Amino acid sequence: VNIAGSSYVAGLVSKMKAGTISNSSVSGQIVSNSNYLGGLVAYMEDGTINLSNSNVTAVSAKGNYVGGIAGCVADGQVQDCKVNGTLYAGGNYLGGIAGGYRGGLIKESFADVTLQGNEYVGGVVGAIGGSATALQYCGATGSINTTAVENVGGVAGAVQTTSNILNCFAIIDIN
């Protein structure tokens, strides 16, 4: 793909309120000049993405919520997904799998990424908020480039609510 847009820009689906994406793949460049950019889905609520891959260069010059699979996951499931790419957010909330994560389950997903963002930057998720969130058996490798002095992490940039993080790993250079 070679996609450019304003907000809610993604390789497959802009806004996903329910349903399932399975065995899908996106390669190419996705560019946005505002919020919510995802390799597969820009904003996901109550849906499921499984067995899917993203190999993208995703650039949001001014926006928040940029992720290799989804810009933001709200009460959804991401399972057995892989990301390989370079992601840039001019704003905050940047993650290898999801920029923002507000409830649901991210399981057995992996990101090999170069991330460049401001604050709330993580190898798997930028920030975890909401309720009933779980990260299980996820990992990230690559690098994070940021000028932030806080809210940057190998797995998650910040955990803002009670969350369960189980058997996750990061091999990330943070600069």
Side-chain angles (χ1 to χ4, degrees):
V1 298
N2 189 358
I3 300 171
S6 181
S7 60
Y8 296 94
V9 179
L12 290 180
V13 177
S14 175
K15 295 178 186 176
M16 181 176 173
K17 295 274 183 169
T20 300
I21 294 173
S22 186
N23 294 309
S24 298
S25 180
V26 169
S27 303
Q29 182 169 304
I30 304 168
V31 178
S32 168
N33 63 7
S34 190
N35 297 326
Y36 300 103
L37 182 148
L40 299 178
V41 176
Y43 183 86
M44 179 179 135
E45 185 176 347
D46 294 326
T48 299
I49 301 173
N50 60 38
L51 299 167
S52 295
N53 301 305
S54 172
N55 184 358
V56 296
T57 297
V59 177
S60 182
K62 300 175 192 169
N64 300 309
Y65 299 103
V66 176
I69 294 294
C72 184
V73 174
D75 297 317
Q77 288 193 4
V78 175
Q79 187 168 341
D80 293 316
C81 291
K82 292 180 178 56
V83 174
N84 183 347
T86 300
L87 310 176
Y88 171 81
N92 301 317
Y93 302 101
L94 170 64
I97 300 294
Y101 176 38
R102 300 183 192 144
L105 173 66
I106 297 178
K107 183 177 181 180
E108 297 168 349
S109 294
F110 177 78
D112 181 14
V113 289
T114 298
L115 303 174
Q116 183 170 339
N118 291 320
E119 199 170 354
Y120 302 105
V121 180
V124 178
V125 295
I128 300 172
S131 62
T133 56
L135 286 177
Q136 299 176 351
Y137 308 100
C138 293
T141 60
S143 64
I144 296 174
N145 299 302
T146 180
T147 57
V149 293
E150 60 186 19
N151 298 316
V152 176
V155 172
V159 177
Q160 299 166 322
T161 60
T162 302
S163 301
N164 295 311
I165 299 175
L166 174 67
N167 291 333
C168 293
F169 74 91
I171 303 170
I172 296 270
D173 291 327
I174 300 175
N175 301 306

